[in-house]
Amino acid sequence: MNKGLFISVEGIDGAGKSTHVNLIREYLESKGKTVVVTREPGGTELGEQIRNLLLHSHNMHHNTELLLMFASRQELIDKVIRPNLEQGVCVIADRFVDASLAYQGAGRGIGMDKVYQVMNWLEPVLKTDLTFLFNVPLSVAFERVGKNRNKDRIEKESIDFFTKVQNAYLDIASKEPGRMKVIRTNRPKHESREEIIRHLDGLLKKN
Ligand code: TMP
């Protein structure tokens, strides 16, 4: 399986990830690919209900948070990601498993081992072909998110929490440099754009 390309985008809240999803989509489409964009948590009817619970409930146990993230992910894999990849469609996932490693594994302190255990329990276990990690200094991300008056439960977390999340993302990138590419976004847009396209071209050449 895995005939379509599976690409994910990651980063702490305020890192500028969502603005680059369109660029990735447009570039792949310009190369003749059919593209589907997903988001997590969410992306299916059930997943969007889970998203609402995750972002707006009070007093949620960390394990509940982790399991709900994966419940939403399982629905998305089953209903959207796997069927599209099997048909040769490229999937751009606005967050995937790395988010659970960084936010729940590190940010919440659940630990990577536990997240991997839940991950390995999914059907089927999927790995992205390429993951972009959008990275900005924490102060910049905080200022961007701070402007949003309707912050959700996770966006309201402390700088200490986001420091752990950011460090965990960078740690994954240093361990898996072939799959995860770090893109700095506090610089002129055309520079990050060129870097993204270079990585996409590299992936397209291999497939
Ligand atoms: P979003 O703002 O990128 O749509 O993501 C919603 C929030 O959910 C964001 O604060 C990151 C968080 N999240 C996790 O904590 N763990 C996960 O596994 C995923 C997919 C998202």
Side-chain angles (χ1 to χ4, degrees):
M1 60 169 287
N2 243 22
K3 283 189 277 167
L5 297 174
F6 186 24
I7 297 169
S8 65
V9 294
E10 298 282 358
I12 56 169
D13 299 78
K17 120 189 112 58
S18 301
T19 44
H20 289 91
V21 168
N22 276 339
L23 159 66
I24 299 168
R25 180 217 288 259
E26 280 165 18
Y27 190 71
L28 290 175
E29 284 176 348
S30 78
K31 297 289 170 189
K33 302 282 183 194
T34 308
V35 180
V36 160
V37 177
T38 64
R39 75 162 177 179
E40 280 194 38
T44 61
E45 202 182 330
L46 187 50
E48 288 297 321
Q49 293 180 46
I50 297 173
R51 180 183 176 92
N52 194 36
L53 289 173
L54 276 163
L55 299 187
H56 304 292
S57 301
H58 299 289
N59 197 20
M60 184 180 289
H61 193 286
H62 292 346
N63 286 348
T64 308
E65 185 177 283
L66 176 70
L67 293 170
L68 285 177
M69 290 293 176
F70 273 97
S72 167
R73 181 165 300 130
Q74 179 67 86
E75 285 302 306
L76 193 65
I77 289 174
D78 186 53
K79 309 280 186 315
V80 184
I81 298 177
R82 182 178 41 83
N84 275 292
L85 291 178
E86 280 179 358
Q87 286 183 25
V89 173
C90 295
V91 176
I92 304 172
D94 188 339
R95 297 197 188 278
F96 196 58
V97 172
D98 298 301
S100 297
L101 287 164
Y103 278 79
Q104 281 67 52
R108 297 298 191 210
I110 291 177
M112 301 301 171
D113 285 352
K114 213 162 176 179
V115 181
Y116 280 122
Q117 277 171 23
V118 184
M119 182 183 106
N120 288 327
W121 198 74
L122 286 183
E123 289 286 340
V125 176
L126 279 181
K127 236 184 160 45
T128 54
D129 298 300
L130 184 63
T131 294
F132 289 107
L133 172 59
F134 292 101
N135 200 48
V136 283
L138 277 165
S139 55
V140 177
F142 248 67
E143 204 191 300
R144 286 181 188 161
V145 176
K147 286 187 187 138
N148 173 8
R149 265 182 248 145
N150 302 313
K151 281 196 226 172
D152 63 46
R153 191 175 61 85
I154 298 176
E155 285 170 335
K156 283 183 193 149
E157 278 301 332
S158 65
I159 195 140
D160 180 48
F161 173 85
F162 284 105
T163 305
K164 288 184 204 155
V165 174
Q166 174 116 307
N167 288 342
Y169 269 136
L170 290 171
D171 192 46
I172 300 169
S174 72
K175 286 182 179 138
E176 296 183 65
R179 177 180 70 87
M180 190 184 263
K181 310 293 181 190
V182 183
I183 308 290
R184 281 194 303 109
T185 52
N186 59 332
R187 58 178 170 162
K189 258 211 184 107
H190 73 270
E191 287 182 23
S192 40
R193 187 192 145 84
E194 279 161 21
E195 204 179 337
I196 291 166
I197 286 175
R198 199 158 37 78
H199 291 308
L200 289 174
D201 281 340
L203 180 66
L204 288 168
K205 233 180 248 163
K206 279 193 271 164
N207 288 273

